[in-house]
Every structure is written in C-alpha cells, then in structure tokens.
Amino acid sequence: MATESLGLLGIPLGILAGTLRGSAPFLFVSLGECITEKSGKINLGLEGTLLMGAMSAYGVSYLSAPSVGDFWAPWLGVLAAGLTGMTLGAVHGWLSQQPRVNDVATGIAMIIFGSGLAFFFGKPFIQPQAPQLLTFDWGAWSSSPQIQAALRVSPLFLLGIAIAPFLQWFFRATRWGLYVRAVGDSPQAAMAMGISPFRVRMLSIMAGSFLAGIGGACLSLYYPGVWTERISSGQGLMAVALVIFARWNPVQCLWASMLFGGAQAIGPAFQSVGVDAYYYLFNAAPYILTLLIMILTCSPKRSLVGSPGALGQDD
Amino acid sequence: MSPRKPIRFSRRQVMRSLLAATAFGAATKLSGCSPNTASSTEGGADGEAGAGAEGDVVVGFIYVGPKDDFGYNQAHAEGAAAMAQVPGIKIVEEASVPESSAVLETMRSMIEIDGATVLFPTSFGYFDPYMLELAAEFPEVQFFHAGGLYQDGVHPDNVGSYFGYIDEAQYVAGIVAAHASESGNLGFVAAKPIPQVLRNINSFTLGAKTINPEATTQVIFTGDWALPVKEAEATNSLADQGIDVVTCHVDSPKVVIETAEKRGIYSSGYHANQAPLAPEGYLTGAEWDWVSIYTFLGEQFVEGKTLMAGDIDHVFRGGLADNFCKLSPYGPAVSEAAQADAEAAREQFLAKELVIYDGELKDNQGNEILAAGDKYEQQNIALEKMDWLVEGVKGSVSG
Amino acid sequence: MTDSSVATAGGLKGFAWRRPLEAIFLPVAALVVALILFGGFCALAGANPFGVYGSIYQAAFGSWSAWQNTLIRAAPLMLTALCTALPARLGLVIIGNEGALVMGGLGAIALGLSIGSTLPPLVAQILMAIAGMVAGGLWIMLAGALRYYRGVNETISSLLLNYIAIALLNHLVEGPMRDASFVTKPSSAQLDPAIWLGTLPGTRIHFGLIYGIVICVLAYGLIQRTTFGFAARTTGGNIRAAKIAGLPVGKLTLAVCFLGGSAAGLAGMVEVAAVQKRINESLVSNYGYAGILVAFVARHNPLATVLVAVLLGGILASGGILQRSHNLPDATVLVFQGIVFLCVLYSDSLYGKLPWFQEKVVSD
C-alpha cells in the first residue's frame, strides 16, 4: 500500500478533492434556501433540517439494508432524508407565515428543535455502519491512489450540479417560477393576480427543506460518511449566508458552494505538508474569504439587486 | 424587520414573561406532583450519604460527549456499567456536558438532588477550576478525575486522580505500525496539543523508531475533540502525502478509521476497539480497560473506603501491567515478525522493565530533552506537562 | 390593534381588562401547551410525564439552589440578547453575539493580565469591563459599518465575524497567549485572584446577573425614553423617512451596533473574570446563539429580555435531571427548548384573534 508522497502538489489536490466532496451539502442546502428566499421567507432552521436529514438517511439506510440490499438502502435513506426535511419545512412554513411571527426567530427555534429531534432519534445509529452511496470512480485512469481517491464523485453531487441551472431556468421561464418570484417580490401584487402567497411560500419552504434534507444525506452517506452529533460544522447556517452572497442566483450558489467546500480542506492540506503555523486561522479561511469577497463586491447601492422585495418583511 | 413598539406592548411583554415563569411553577405544582413523590429516583432529594432506596452508594458519572461514540466516552460508560453491577452501587450518568460552568451545576445537582457521594467527571477539562471548586465546597464527597493531575498538598484531600498509561499501548502500536508501513511515514490525527495527546504522539513515534529509526510521524491537529469533517480531511491529506499507517487521538476515532479504510491505508485504533470498522486495514489499537478498574473502585466504595481517610490512593494509575489499558487483537495484516516484536515489548511493560522516555532524547526543534543516561519514569510529573514533540515527528505544538 | 381604552357599555367598565388578560393568558397557555406536548413526547420515549414535570420544576425553580442555577445560566443571556435586540430596533438583524462575547473576553483578559494587582480591585474590574465592552462593541460596529458603507448584509457579516472571532481566540490561546503551566487545555494565564469578579453575598451567583439586569433596564430607558432611542426607532421604522428628516443614519447605525456589541462584550468579560478566571475555548458555550432567540422571543424589548432569559435559564438548568432521573438522552432538553419557543412564537400570532378577549364595542 505504499504510495509516493505528493509533496506540495498535495495542497491543490486536497483542495480539489475537498471541493468535490465537501461542497455537496452546501450546494443542496443553498439551492433549497434559494427557493425559499425567492419566495420571500428566510429559513434559518435549515441547520436543524440538515441534521435531521443526515440522521434519517443514515438510519433508514442502516435499517433497510437487510431487506433491500446495500445498493438501494442508501437511496432509500436519501429519500427519507428529503421527506423528513419536508416535514420540518412544513412546520416552519406554517408557523413563520402566521401574523406577527418573525422568520429569524422561527428559524432559530427550528434549529434547536430539529437538532434535538435528530440527536434524540439518532442515538442508536452512532455506532453501527450504514451502507454508503455508490461513488463514480473518475480517477480510474490514473495510477496514483491519491488522484483516484480525490476523484471519487458522488451521484448526489452531480445531481446538485444539475439542479442549479434547472432552478435558474425554472425561475426565469416557468409559470410556477413566476409565482414564486411574484410572491417574493410583492405579495400584495401576487394576491391581486389570484396567487395565494401562503400556498406558494409553503410549497417553496417545503421544497427548500426537502433539498436541505438531501444535503444532510450527503454528509452521512457520502462524506464523511458517518452519523455523529458533531457532523455539521454549521453548513446549514453558512448556506443561508451563501445564498445572499450568491445574490439569489442558483448557478452562483453552485460556485459559492464549491468555494466553501474547497476552503474547508485548506487547513489540513497545509498541515500535511508541514505548514502548521496558524492552523486555526487556516481553518477559518472559508469565512474570511467570504467576508472579503462580500466587502469587495458589495456597494450600498447595489447590495439589494436581486433581492426579493418581500424578504425580511414581517407579514 | 422593523418592529413597531408603542409602550403598552412592553407592559404586555413584562407581564407575560413574569406570569409565564410563575404559571410554569404553578402548573407543575397543580398537576399533582411534588419533587419528592414524582421524581422517579428513589426519593433522593437531599444530599445525604447513601440516599438511595437501600442505602446504595450513589456514584455520578459525567461525560463530555455522547456515551456511544465508539471512543473515549464509550470506554468510560462501559466501565460505569460494570461498576453498576457491583451490589450496593447505584450510578447516575449525565452525558454531553461541556467543559464550562455547566459542569459545575451538573456536579452540584448530582450531589444535592441525587445524593451522590462519589463523582467521576471523566473529561480532562473538568479538573481546573470546576472540579476543584466543588471539591473545596463539598469535602465529604469524593471526586475522581481521569487525568494525572493530582498533586499532594496542592489539591484537596477528597480529590483523586486516575489514568491509564495508554501511551504504553501506543508504543506497542507504534512497533506494529513501523513493521506494516512500507514508506516509513506514519500519520497521527490529533485534536489539541495538550500533554496527554502529545504523550501519545511521542510514544507512538518512539515505538516505531525502535523498528525503523528513520520513521517519521506527521501530525495534523484538527482543533477540537470532535470534528468529523476535519478529521476526514486530515486523514485524506495524510494519505495524499504517502502515509500508509494512521492513528489518532480524538474523541471518536470512527471517522479516521473508516476514512483510512476507504483510502486503503492501515489504521491503528484508540480508546476502544474499532476493528469492525476496518476489517482489512486495522492493525491493532490502544484501548482503555476501565471495566476492571471501575469494578475494583466500586467494591472499595461499598466497603466504605474513601480518599479522605487515605484508604484509596490519591494517584491511581497504571499501564498495561495494571490492566488500565490493553491492546486490541492483531488484525490480519500484522506479520509474524511484527507480532513477535510487539509481544516482546508488551512483556517488558508487564514486567515493568521498559521506560519509554529513555536516554538521549531531542525534540523536533533540536533541543535536548533528556541527556544520555537520564530517563522519565512513567509517573514523572514532567510527562504530565509535556509540551514538546520528539524528533521524528513533523508538526508543531503551537498554532 | 385596537386601543385598550375602547369605550364599553357602562361607563364604570371603562377600563378594558380583556386585553391585558389576553397578554397574560396567551403566553401562559403557550407554556402549558408546550408542557403537554413535551410530556407526550416523553411518554413516547418511555418516561412518566408527570415525573418529568416534577423534575424540571425541582431542578429549575424548586429550591434556592435550583434558582441560583437558573439565574447563573440566565445572566449571560440577558447581556448577549441585547446584541440582537438593540440593532433590531434600528431594523438590523445582527447574529454576531457569540463573536462579540469572545472579543469582549479577549479584551478583558488582555487588560486584566497586564494590570494584575497593581491597581485597586474595583478599578481593575471597571477597566476590564470597559475593555470588554469596547472590544465587543467595535466588533459589531464593524458589521454595522460594513452594512452602512458597503452594503454588506449585516446578518451574514456578523455570522462570519463569529467564526473569525472564535478562530482568533483559539489561535491566541494556543500560541501567543498560552500559559504552559495550565495543562488541562490550551489556555491563557489565570487572572490575579485579587481582581476576580465576586459573587453576590450569600449566593453563588456572580455579579454578572446584576450587570445584566442593570444594563437591560438602562437599554430600555435609552430606547424608549431618549431622543437617541427615538431616532433609532424612527430609522428602524422607515429608513428613507429618517434620512429625509435629516437623522444621521450612519452615525446611529454605528452607535447602536457598538452598544449592542458592548453588551455582549461585557458578558464575555463576566465569563472570564467571574467564572473561568482565564480564557480558553470554554468561553464559546452558545450563550450567543441562545441570546438571539431570547431577543426575538422578547420582541427586542430589553425588559422582557430579562424574564425570557430566566425562563430559558430554567429550561437549561433542568437538562441534567432529565438525563439522570428519567433516562432520557441529553438531546431531550433541546427538544424541550424547541417546543417551548415554537409554542410561544405561535402564541404571538393569536393576539386579537380569540373572540373572548375582544373588547365588546358598543355601536349605536
């Protein structure tokens, strides 16, 4: 099992690998939040949804493996993750649309509730190993084990990449996309058009949470491929930040997610070649990068371009 | 997000919250329960010694994470379950208590409400200042800390330290690792640069160097005790650098071992036996063996022995010889020669002949730690304050 | 929103009593419903709900020791909640409480370690408090400045600043500020015992509780009773109108963010000077995020913040006993918190909807 050390080449390879495997959760959660925010509501509770999704995916995969086999069990897990996400989304969607109830407050309460449920029901699943999703070995052409490992790509990641332009098209060119945007920009105008903001927002939040649940499944069934209570390093919260950073544009959400996934690998990659000073600051690289990019690209006049008009209103 | 706030809303809020808290109390009182009858403990509402139904000794265990993490906390929880089997002992446990003032309240609550007379705060970070504060306040309660920090005359009488010299097991694991590694590059995923972690890194490396003097250990610090994504990234980075044996010191080695198996490199476990996670690559591991220790201590408590009276040692530690730790069974990839060398070292530990930190030792910055002929015995307090990495380890203790 | 002094039939019944009653009934009902739901949850998990209720009460409010436990946990929440509540009056959503707390702790300990015992304790403590407040205040003021001058969304920037502050803390305590003699975890040196913040006489609650209550009252007065507060609320209501009216929106933004951050920074100072006496990673204990929830549930009113903080403190104090006495996993207290806050948030929407509480308007 001896392999040649890659030396400094290990850093870009590590970052590439980190991008391919670490960006999937960010991608799904941010795309889901994109739908929600386009309809004018913020769902901060996606952190709890992510955890519930991770737990249910792992649990269902583990429990169904004896009956459906190791190939289909993880896919059942992914489906279960989406459905539990949708359920939590329904709770958030209903509650946050009641009069005088604030989005952010509901979201934070849902984080606590969602993570509590996830940890509570997830206790029996910390120890066992659940079957993992298959991965495509795109590195098979290389004889280097490092490249082979780096290029193991999950179908979920590919699915996410496909969803991003699809959502872009959806918002721009379909009737339902128009409804979502209308409700997001001006609920009163939408009502005048005969669209029910309540229904559209409810469906948007549920769809967004469905995707976020799948994002959780990426964590527990793909990378790192375990279920523990500390599996989320704040991806849910950061994904909400990502959406605003990406100006509510699904394809830009894709690039932002990849930036984040890659940045997560910077710290360990540098340490492995001996650059071990400041490793905490390296670990904070994704956040510093995002802040810098936001400072550089925002301006007081342009900051709200693309923002759904009703976002942040309390009705 | 702009709330409109006339003044009368604030009166509403004030009243509402005040009455909320009161009604909360009233509702529970009115629902027919009072603290003594309704709690399903055996009515141990006062902090008296042995406040259990049959005068059991109540022992409290506090864990910093979940009890079934395949790692540190699980090892303690298994020991606690063994202690619970001792007749006359009743245990209460609380998990996921952070190393902050929350543990103060947990310990106090165990003493006052559950009637605990012995406490086991099992995480290293609970000692100072939390455990020491409570030990001073409750001199009749015994506190046992999992770490070697007790100092005679400095710390109160009712405090005891117990810990296993698990670095002995890591030393033997290092021997096995050096045999298995073809490149001579070993990897270590560590949480934080505290002495116990550094001791493991150094022992692992020193053991490996007895087989291959050119062996190196690359350390990656993740920054915290449980960060699955970082641990996976670290393991992958190590594998990318051509390292073919990896071990770790984090709360739950599950991620590291599984990732190593996926990368096709060997792994050596820690805290508990992770062999089921890596059927091909698992070499061996350094495990705790709290079951025998806790059972023994439980029997001591039932007999009424205490730290304060001097019946139980304040510093209660041992290595492989005293059954504080053990080695996992050897995996399929361990060669005959490796097993022979490992067993030889283990025999020496059992006979208490082998000193790990011996002779001329330099750290990885080139400074001399020990001159030729000097040694640090296992109980030497200098080892408890270790802040250096031995020559051959690639990494640094400060971020 | 009808006026509470609406005319009713019969002059003597002029005082409308139904609306204030509603204000009492709804949150209490929300709590009762939450308890029932939680009891159902516990029953499904195999525990006796009434036993659970008794244990919660016992651990949170059942004895003086329990009350102290609750108040100790509530104290930092009062201060960190202001970091969200104050800017919210201006229309900003700041969630950087955790970062401000950490920076406040760093500022306080840096100053405290350099002073040692060279100054009288009270002076040293005041200086540490000021250092903590300034550090925390500047941190959040940065988020406010980015919002006003660069248009960067303040929720995101304050969230990112949290992570950056925590990384900075870890870097400092493992490197430049590290005290090698403290082996438990990478940590700074200990503060001189002469300048530790003491506890209230006869209790084990530290002075942070008093700071919290006093600052909340002062904040309430500032927002409701001063022209500064009025300007802030106006800007929060309609920023364009405020600009047209000539209010200095930029300065208000910076000032309010500074004040909010300084409250959280003070919480950080209390943590290091009263509880831990040194700084290390234990400073990050989620007081910040809990404070956000307290602020929203209290509808950003500083007085209500005090009471909601006590409620949350009580819930947190009961977490341990749920595990030990009822064999419920540690996550149960999270579920409990979630249910309580979801119910209380929902009850807000019922104001004015329940028919019994409507004032009967006499029409002629």
Side-chain angles (χ1 to χ4, degrees):
Chain A
M1 293 196 192
T3 53
E4 290 292 311
S5 163
L6 285 180
L8 283 178
L9 270 187
I11 297 183
L13 186 68
I15 296 181
L16 170 68
T19 307
L20 290 175
R21 47 183 185 230
S23 54
F26 287 113
L27 184 56
F28 277 96
V29 182
S30 63
L31 288 176
E33 180 67 9
C34 198
I35 304 178
T36 304
E37 292 200 11
K38 280 279 202 193
S39 77
K41 302 299 271 179
I42 298 185
N43 187 355
L44 277 181
L46 290 183
E47 179 74 18
T49 311
L50 182 82
L51 286 169
M52 255 322 257
M55 190 279 293
S56 25
Y58 199 77
V60 166
S61 175
Y62 175 68
L63 292 174
S64 65
S67 1
V68 300
D70 277 359
F71 180 77
W72 289 111
W75 290 106
L76 269 187
V78 171
L79 184 63
L83 292 175
T84 47
M86 216 164 69
T87 317
L88 283 180
V91 174
H92 178 92
W94 177 78
L95 183 60
S96 66
Q97 295 202 73
Q98 301 304 313
R100 295 164 44 118
V101 178
N102 178 283
D103 276 0
V104 174
T106 314
I108 298 186
M110 287 301 292
I111 296 179
I112 297 178
F113 185 61
S115 29
L117 283 181
F119 298 160
F120 188 88
F121 291 113
K123 291 285 179 189
F125 300 124
I126 299 181
Q127 272 208 13
Q129 279 182 297
Q132 303 280 293
L133 283 172
L134 73 131
T135 52
F136 298 127
D137 281 326
W138 283 358
W141 51 268
S142 160
S143 60
S144 153
Q146 291 96 333
I147 298 189
Q148 286 176 7
L151 292 179
R152 266 188 213 130
V153 172
S154 164
L156 282 184
F157 179 64
L158 300 174
L159 185 64
I161 296 185
I163 292 183
F166 169 76
L167 270 186
Q168 183 120 337
W169 168 81
F170 172 78
F171 287 129
R172 207 163 22 107
T174 68
R175 197 157 56 104
W176 269 95
L178 176 64
Y179 289 168
V180 173
R181 279 189 300 137
V183 162
D185 278 326
S186 171
Q188 290 85 358
M191 271 199 290
M193 277 163 57
I195 308 170
S196 154
F198 184 84
R199 228 164 57 108
V200 172
R201 284 173 169 173
M202 187 66 149
L203 290 172
S204 309
I205 296 177
M206 284 168 71
S209 302
F210 183 88
L211 288 179
I214 298 189
C218 293
L219 283 175
S220 63
L221 292 180
Y222 169 45
Y223 189 81
V226 290
W227 162 247
T228 81
E229 297 185 358
R230 300 285 296 266
I231 194 158
S232 165
S233 30
Q235 279 100 333
L237 274 181
M238 285 315 302
V240 178
L242 274 180
V243 173
I244 302 184
F245 175 54
R247 301 263 185 287
W248 297 273
N249 178 318
V251 174
Q252 288 192 303
C253 284
L254 174 61
W255 303 129
S257 306
M258 289 174 68
L259 172 73
F260 253 76
Q264 276 188 329
I266 290 182
F270 271 101
Q271 274 195 64
S272 70
V273 294
V275 178
D276 39 31
Y278 304 112
Y279 58 81
Y280 279 112
L281 299 180
F282 276 124
N283 287 348
Y287 313 112
I288 302 179
L289 266 177
T290 310
L291 191 60
L292 283 177
I293 296 180
M294 284 189 87
I295 296 176
L296 291 172
T297 62
C298 288
S299 88
K301 299 166 199 45
R302 284 196 321 126
S303 69
L304 295 180
V305 167
S307 160
L311 198 64
Q313 307 295 344
D314 227 5
D315 65 30
Chain B
M1 306 275 171
S2 44
R4 298 159 283 268
K5 294 256 169 299
I7 294 181
R8 61 190 163 97
F9 281 18
S10 61
R11 195 179 66 216
R12 169 177 304 177
Q13 311 310 317
V14 170
M15 286 198 296
R16 126 216 228 189
S17 302
L18 182 72
L19 291 153
T22 320
F24 183 51
T28 55
K29 276 249 150 95
L30 289 173
S31 65
C33 45
S34 68
N36 284 327
T37 57
S39 74
S40 60
T41 53
E42 37 340 299
D46 307 307
E48 296 166 18
E54 311 97 31
D56 280 352
V57 177
V58 180
V59 180
F61 281 88
I62 306 173
Y63 311 108
V64 73
K67 284 192 283 186
D68 32 18
D69 61 354
F70 240 122
Y72 183 77
N73 297 299
Q74 180 172 319
H76 281 287
E78 287 173 355
M83 195 197 275
Q85 303 295 320
V86 175
I89 292 276
K90 175 181 168 14
I91 63 166
V92 289
E93 298 168 294
E94 195 169 325
S96 296
V97 180
E99 291 178 353
S100 67
S101 49
V103 72
L104 276 177
E105 296 303 324
T106 297
M107 289 194 277
R108 179 184 305 275
S109 181
M110 279 184 173
I111 296 173
E112 292 180 346
I113 301 185
D114 296 317
T117 53
V118 182
L119 285 187
F120 280 83
T122 59
S123 181
F124 197 51
Y126 290 151
F127 186 70
D128 188 344
Y130 310 116
M131 203 181 101
L132 293 175
E133 269 185 36
L134 275 199
E137 196 179 326
F138 292 102
E140 74 284 359
V141 174
Q142 303 181 63
F143 292 82
F144 287 90
H145 180 245
L149 296 177
Y150 176 81
Q151 285 173 38
D152 217 3
V154 173
H155 296 128
D157 255 350
N158 53 337
V159 167
S161 256
Y162 68 97
F163 210 66
Y165 295 124
I166 200 169
D167 53 338
E168 290 180 3
Q170 281 284 35
Y171 183 89
V172 179
I175 293 177
V176 176
H179 270 282
S181 167
E182 292 170 27
S183 65
N185 297 325
L186 311 173
F188 202 108
V189 178
K192 290 177 176 282
I194 64 168
Q196 285 172 356
V197 176
L198 299 177
R199 241 173 123 158
N200 280 329
I201 301 174
N202 289 332
S203 300
F204 185 72
T205 311
L206 288 170
K209 281 167 76 165
T210 60
I211 304 297
N212 174 2
E214 308 296 318
T216 62
T217 305
Q218 173 70 53
V219 173
I220 296 190
F221 289 105
T222 61
D224 204 351
W225 294 105
L227 289 175
V229 177
K230 280 272 170 326
E231 290 160 19
E233 287 297 342
T235 313
N236 276 306
S237 301
L238 289 172
D240 283 345
Q241 296 300 325
I243 283 158
D244 47 9
V245 182
V246 76
T247 184
C248 61
H249 187 151
V250 294
D251 269 356
S252 175
K254 192 170 184 237
V255 177
V256 173
I257 305 290
E258 286 184 345
T259 310
E261 188 75 348
K262 282 185 204 164
R263 287 300 296 260
I265 62 178
Y266 296 119
S267 51
S268 182
Y270 191 62
H271 289 315
N273 185 4
Q274 289 102 17
L277 300 174
E280 290 177 31
Y282 197 75
L283 296 174
T284 179
E287 294 181 46
W288 301 109
D289 189 2
W290 297 125
V291 169
S292 51
I293 305 299
Y294 284 177
T295 312
F296 169 69
L297 281 174
E299 290 162 359
Q300 303 277 302
F301 300 144
V302 171
E303 290 172 22
K305 300 205 176 145
T306 65
L307 286 167
M308 294 76 85
D311 307 316
I312 306 183
D313 283 334
H314 283 281
V315 174
F316 198 76
R317 288 174 295 182
L320 290 168
D322 302 301
N323 285 325
F324 275 74
C325 55
K326 58 186 183 198
L327 281 166
S328 307
Y330 298 113
V334 181
S335 65
E336 297 282 336
Q339 286 194 34
D341 283 335
E343 286 301 311
R346 208 165 74 87
E347 294 298 319
Q348 285 192 293
F349 277 124
L350 290 178
K352 301 207 183 179
E353 285 171 3
L354 183 57
V355 175
I356 300 177
Y357 298 97
D358 184 9
E360 190 172 10
L361 268 190
K362 292 204 172 104
D363 73 7
N364 63 353
Q365 315 283 331
N367 306 318
E368 187 184 80
I369 305 285
L370 278 176
D374 282 345
K375 49 175 84 171
Y376 281 142
E377 311 277 342
Q378 271 295 42
Q379 296 84 358
N380 194 320
I381 199 80
L383 292 180
E384 306 289 348
K385 300 186 198 275
M386 190 183 284
D387 59 357
W388 43 268
L389 289 168
V390 79
E391 200 179 2
V393 176
K394 293 197 254 181
S396 121
V397 294
S398 59
Chain C
M1 255 42 98
T2 54
D3 198 352
S4 59
S5 58
V6 77
T8 54
L12 272 184
K13 293 201 203 131
F15 178 69
W17 52 270
R18 287 179 186 253
R19 295 311 293 270
L21 195 63
E22 185 183 43
I24 299 171
F25 172 78
L26 275 178
V28 171
L31 275 182
V32 171
V33 169
L35 280 172
I36 294 175
L37 289 174
F38 181 60
F41 183 77
C42 290
L44 287 175
N48 173 0
F50 294 104
V52 168
Y53 297 150
S55 296
I56 293 176
Y57 180 74
Q58 182 187 18
F61 304 113
S63 65
W64 175 228
S65 179
W67 262 104
Q68 290 184 71
N69 189 350
T70 297
L71 290 173
I72 290 177
R73 292 175 193 263
L77 298 180
M78 297 177 200
L79 287 171
T80 58
L82 286 180
C83 186
T84 297
L86 287 177
R89 295 309 195 101
L90 204 59
L92 300 172
V93 180
I94 298 273
I95 55 178
N97 326 36
E98 200 76 37
L101 186 145
V102 166
M103 294 309 284
L106 277 173
I109 199 112
L111 193 71
L113 286 175
S114 54
I115 293 181
S117 50
T118 57
L119 293 174
L122 193 59
V123 175
Q125 286 167 2
I126 292 178
L127 286 178
M128 279 203 294
I130 294 178
M133 290 170 81
V134 167
L138 286 176
W139 199 245
I140 302 294
M141 197 169 89
L142 177 61
L146 287 176
R147 167 60 194 262
Y148 185 70
Y149 294 111
R150 294 293 301 174
V152 178
N153 181 295
E154 73 283 1
T155 310
I156 311 292
S157 60
S158 56
L159 177 66
L160 294 172
L161 286 174
N162 279 346
Y163 291 112
I164 297 177
I166 295 174
L168 187 65
L169 168 72
N170 280 319
H171 169 76
L172 287 175
V173 299
E174 284 206 12
M177 282 178 80
R178 185 169 189 181
D179 173 16
S181 64
F182 188 71
V183 297
T184 305
K185 59 178 67 172
S187 167
S188 75
Q190 198 184 49
L191 276 179
D192 192 307
I195 56 177
W196 291 356
L197 205 61
T199 55
L200 299 171
T203 76
R204 58 175 197 275
I205 310 173
H206 51 71
F207 271 95
L209 180 68
I210 304 294
Y211 292 174
I213 298 178
V214 166
I215 300 262
C216 279
V217 171
L218 287 177
Y220 176 78
L222 181 73
I223 293 290
Q224 295 291 141
R225 310 269 182 192
T226 66
T227 30
F228 174 81
F230 181 69
R233 282 183 286 132
T234 310
T235 313
N238 187 331
I239 195 168
R240 247 185 235 116
K243 280 188 178 157
I244 292 174
L247 290 177
V249 174
K251 294 210 184 83
L252 278 173
T253 305
L254 294 179
V256 171
C257 286
F258 182 84
L259 288 173
S262 62
L266 184 62
M269 173 261 175
V270 170
E271 270 299 297
V272 301
V275 178
Q276 303 190 8
K277 290 97 171 172
R278 58 177 81 238
I279 197 170
N280 51 44
E281 45 122 36
S282 300
L283 185 59
V284 185
S285 328
N286 272 326
Y287 292 135
Y289 288 110
I292 303 174
L293 190 57
V294 169
F296 272 100
V297 171
R299 306 219 108 212
H300 306 299
N301 180 307
L303 288 183
T305 301
V306 173
L307 297 159
V308 177
V310 171
L311 178 65
L312 183 54
I315 296 178
L316 293 173
S318 66
I321 207 168
L322 289 176
Q323 278 192 56
R324 300 196 310 270
S325 304
H326 301 276
N327 277 325
L328 293 169
D330 47 287
T332 316
V333 70
L334 281 176
V335 175
F336 185 37
Q337 274 182 59
I339 295 180
V340 167
F341 284 116
L342 288 174
C343 288
V344 172
L345 284 172
Y346 177 62
S347 74
D348 256 358
S349 70
L350 292 177
Y351 279 100
K353 287 226 195 127
L354 299 177
W356 193 78
F357 288 103
Q358 297 307 319
E359 298 299 338
K360 295 182 182 22
V361 177
V362 176
S363 59
D364 38 24

